[in-house]
Every structure is written in structure tokens, then in C-alpha cells.
Amino acid sequence: MATKLQRRTASLRKLHLLQTLNKPKSVKRSCSIINVLLHFYKLKVKLEEIQREYQNLLKNMRIPQEVKVEKINGEQFVLKVACNKGGDKLVSILEVFDELGLNVVQARVSCRHFFSMEAIIGVGQDQKTSDMKDITDAILKAIDEEQSGEQEMLVT
């Protein structure tokens, strides 16, 4: 008997909570539940709409190209690259490293919303010390060529 009473009071408490959520015009149980389900459905649709907007914003987001090179000791540099994602940017950057005789000591790359790379690079044994400006210019050129090649493919 006590458990029936407890279940009934718990059920009434939940029903009262549902009624306070949707401010019903009717006192009927079925109307309250239907109104709450309708409210949840509207919230779900609104959430999906916001998620679509967010994805569209991410697709159309353009960030400026950024390449920073800092010298950390005589033979090593910290390189930070940020630009729009797409294409083979990592391959182009690694080809530049190879051309300049630079070795990647450590690297972290992300392509979630845009391409970003942070790397510690060292000058090879047989290579003379590279200038920070040379490294920056070569990487910017590789990224620009990659993006212009991408746009040509989109146009044709």
C-alpha cells in the first residue's frame, strides 16, 4: 500500500513539474504530456538549425595567413603557421623544409576548423644556417601556390 502511494505521489510530482515547464491551458494529463513533447521537439529543431548555421559559418570562415618563425637557439627555430584548411598544405610545407635543408624535430598539426601547425625545426648538418625571413617567405609562397592551385581546380 505504501509503495502505491509513493509511486502515485512521485507521478503527481512529475506531472506537476511537466505542467510548470509548459504552462498548460488544460489540466488533463494527456494534454500536458503532449505539450511537453511538442516543446522538446521544437527545442530539438531549433538546436539542429543552430548546428547547421554553425557548420555554414565554419565553412565560410576565412582566416588570414600567418607564418611566424622564432629562433630558439643557434640552430633551431619555432615555426607557427595558420591558414585556411584544404589541399596538401602540410606536404607543401614539408617540401619547403626539404628544399631548405631543415629537419623537423617536433611538430603538432591540426585541421579541425583551419590548418595550423607548430613545429620545432633544426638546420641540417650539411646546411648553412637559414635566415628566419627566408623560411617565412618560402612557406608563405608554398601556401599561396597551394591555395591558388586549389582555386584553379574549383574554377575548372
Side-chain angles (χ1 to χ4, degrees), residues 66-83:
E66 183 178 14
V67 177
K68 291 182 182 177
V69 180
E70 300 171 8
K71 199 169 204 172
I72 53 176
N73 64 32
E75 301 297 315
Q76 289 187 333
F77 301 93
V78 173
L79 170 75
K80 295 179 183 178
V81 179
C83 59

Side-chain angles (χ1 to χ4, degrees), residues 51-94:
Q51 286 174 334
R52 278 193 305 274
E53 272 184 48
Y54 178 70
Q55 291 301 322
N56 286 336
L57 285 173
L58 288 178
K59 275 189 215 173
N60 298 327
M61 184 173 73
R62 295 279 176 219
I63 64 161
Q65 291 181 2
E66 183 178 14
V67 177
K68 291 182 182 177
V69 180
E70 300 171 8
K71 199 169 204 172
I72 53 176
N73 64 32
E75 301 297 315
Q76 289 187 333
F77 301 93
V78 173
L79 170 75
K80 295 179 183 178
V81 179
C83 59
N84 291 319
K85 70 178 181 178
D88 298 328
K89 290 185 179 38
L90 181 60
V91 173
S92 300
I93 292 171
L94 292 176

Side-chain angles (χ1 to χ4, degrees), residues 85-141:
K85 70 178 181 178
D88 298 328
K89 290 185 179 38
L90 181 60
V91 173
S92 300
I93 292 171
L94 292 176
E95 286 173 350
V96 168
F97 289 167
D98 192 42
E99 290 170 8
L100 296 176
L102 300 171
N103 299 322
V104 178
V105 177
Q106 182 180 354
R108 180 177 31 211
V109 179
S110 171
C111 292
R112 183 159 184 189
H113 301 299
F114 55 89
F115 176 84
S116 67
M117 176 181 183
E118 188 173 324
I120 297 174
I121 52 176
V123 178
Q125 297 289 343
D126 56 339
Q127 192 70 17
K128 62 179 176 63
T129 305
S130 295
D131 184 26
M132 290 188 301
K133 178 129 175 63
D134 294 339
I135 297 170
T136 305
D137 291 342
I139 291 174
L140 279 171
K141 183 179 175 190

Side-chain angles (χ1 to χ4, degrees), residues 5-21 29:
L5 184 62
Q6 287 173 344
R7 275 188 275 170
R8 183 170 170 80
T9 54
S11 176
L12 288 173
R13 200 176 311 127
K14 289 176 185 175
L15 181 63
H16 180 68
L17 179 65
L18 289 176
Q19 287 174 342
T20 58
L21 280 176
R29 247 186 189 174

